[in-house]
Amino acid sequence: LREMQNHDTVILHRHSRPDGDALGSQFGLKYILQANFPDKTVYAVGDDPGNYRFIGGTLDEIPDSTYENALAIILDCGAAALISDDRWKTAAKTARIDHHIFCQQIAEDEVIDTSFESCCGMVTQFAVESGLTLNATASRALYTGMVTDSGRFRYDGTTSRTFLLASKLMEAGFDTNALFKDL
């Protein structure tokens, strides 16, 4: 949170060939930061989202110079070779939020917790603990990633915490029927 507060520009990365959790965490965090820090510029970059385009919309195309004083955050990615858009390496500061088993250090600051079913769960927990507003757009993106990475809440990694966080997201008031239709 401190690093997010200290940088006027935040650029969000995730793994290539994204799934629901990669895009959900990327766009969920983007919408959280935009809602809570309207003076900051927040970008989501990477390769084409394919069938999951409905989660967040259009990815940003930015010039290389945008990274000069920016914080680059890598989400839902366990290995540097998998990160979509290598320019994260040129950012002023790097951070990673991930739920995969640790393979290698990628960023200067890293929060890795394999007890979460999804990166979206981690981002939701971060927002709740930090007292950040979870609007409907951010909540829908994060909920989508939780649904996809938990096998619609059926996989063994799904815990009571998963349901508590999903409940917090649902308080924002998005249409789950429309979301499942998109899925």
Side-chain angles (χ1 to χ4, degrees):
L1 178 63
R2 183 181 62 251
E3 289 300 333
M4 291 176 196
Q5 292 169 330
N6 287 340
H7 288 85
D8 293 331
T9 302
V10 179
I11 306 167
L12 304 172
H13 290 256
R14 39 82 185 153
H15 63 75
S16 59
R17 297 177 48 214
D19 59 5
D21 189 32
L23 286 166
S25 59
Q26 184 182 39
F27 280 102
L29 185 55
K30 178 179 180 175
Y31 299 138
I32 288 169
L33 294 175
Q34 288 175 333
N36 290 275
F37 305 102
D39 56 322
K40 295 192 181 302
T41 305
V42 185
Y43 298 106
V45 299
D47 58 324
D48 182 46
N51 291 339
Y52 291 105
R53 192 171 288 112
F54 70 90
I55 292 174
T58 307
L59 290 161
D60 299 301
E61 293 186 27
I62 57 175
D64 295 350
S65 61
T66 309
Y67 286 84
E68 288 174 8
N69 295 308
L71 168 65
I73 301 175
I74 299 120
L75 298 145
D76 193 42
C77 192
L82 300 176
I83 301 169
S84 184
D85 194 332
D86 284 344
R87 295 180 297 168
W88 65 271
K89 297 173 188 174
T90 65
K93 181 78 175 180
T94 58
R96 173 170 62 153
I97 301 170
D98 190 27
H99 70 114
H100 294 102
I101 294 171
F102 180 83
C103 293
Q104 69 182 128
Q105 183 167 352
I106 296 172
E108 296 165 272
D109 294 329
E110 298 195 338
V111 178
I112 300 168
D113 189 339
T114 60
S115 73
F116 279 87
E117 83 296 330
S118 65
C119 190
C120 285
M122 292 182 71
V123 172
T124 302
Q125 181 76 35
F126 161 73
V128 169
E129 286 182 358
S130 300
L132 300 174
T133 299
L134 285 162
N135 62 28
T137 308
S139 294
R140 184 180 196 274
L142 293 167
Y143 187 88
T144 303
M146 289 174 76
V147 166
T148 58
D149 254 30
S150 69
R152 296 189 183 205
F153 304 112
R154 295 177 296 150
Y155 294 159
D156 291 342
T158 305
T159 66
S160 59
R161 175 181 61 196
T162 306
F163 289 105
L164 287 170
L165 294 172
S167 173
K168 286 302 250 183
L169 295 172
M170 289 182 73
E171 289 174 7
F174 59 91
D175 185 350
T176 55
N177 287 327
L179 178 132
F180 280 104
K181 183 179 177 186
D182 285 337
L183 282 172

